[in-house]
Amino acid sequence: MSEAQRHIALAVGGSVAIHRALDLASELRKRGWRVTALMTASAQKLVSPLFFKAMTGERVFHDLWTGADHDAYDHLAPAREAQAMVFAPATAGLIARLAAGMADDIVTTCSLAFRGPRLLCPAMNHRMWANSLVQENV
């Protein structure tokens, strides 16, 4: 895969494991990948989008409407450009919204438009993980 093709959309959910997503973004970048972060509102309550911008060197997508005045489809750029989509950390709530086909934020909207491989990196309390509804959603 050429350098231009090495692009991952990193969809970040709101979990205390968010620091692992920062580590992942940094490591992928060191290995030559272009990383575009997308953040849920909950993720933004834990870490500023500026941290992901610093780790990736790329614009961070955190709002469905940012850029809409320039290009009505700008919010779908990560879904068009990336070869893979990684959900890290994937909370129980984010997994449920993905399973239901919701498009209520930048992460879930891009997920619906994305046509490549997806990798879920669940992060939640072990009792939540064991819940049959969470398992069904996965």
Side-chain angles (χ1 to χ4, degrees), residues 72-130:
Y73 302 104
D74 185 54
H75 64 287
L76 296 178
R80 284 191 309 270
E81 298 169 3
Q83 280 68 53
M85 195 164 186
V86 177
F87 299 84
T91 64
L94 177 55
I95 292 169
R97 291 184 302 132
L98 292 168
M102 294 179 75
D104 60 351
D105 67 3
I106 192 69
V107 169
T108 54
T109 299
C110 278
S111 178
L112 286 177
F114 183 69
R115 295 294 173 245
R118 293 173 180 82
L119 175 65
L120 284 176
C121 303
M124 65 198 73
N125 172 278
H126 66 92
R127 288 186 197 101
M128 292 172 71
W129 175 249

Side-chain angles (χ1 to χ4, degrees), residues 45-58:
K45 291 193 181 291
L46 295 168
V47 172
S48 167
L50 293 174
F51 282 95
F52 282 96
K53 182 169 178 48
M55 287 294 169
T56 65
E58 299 283 338

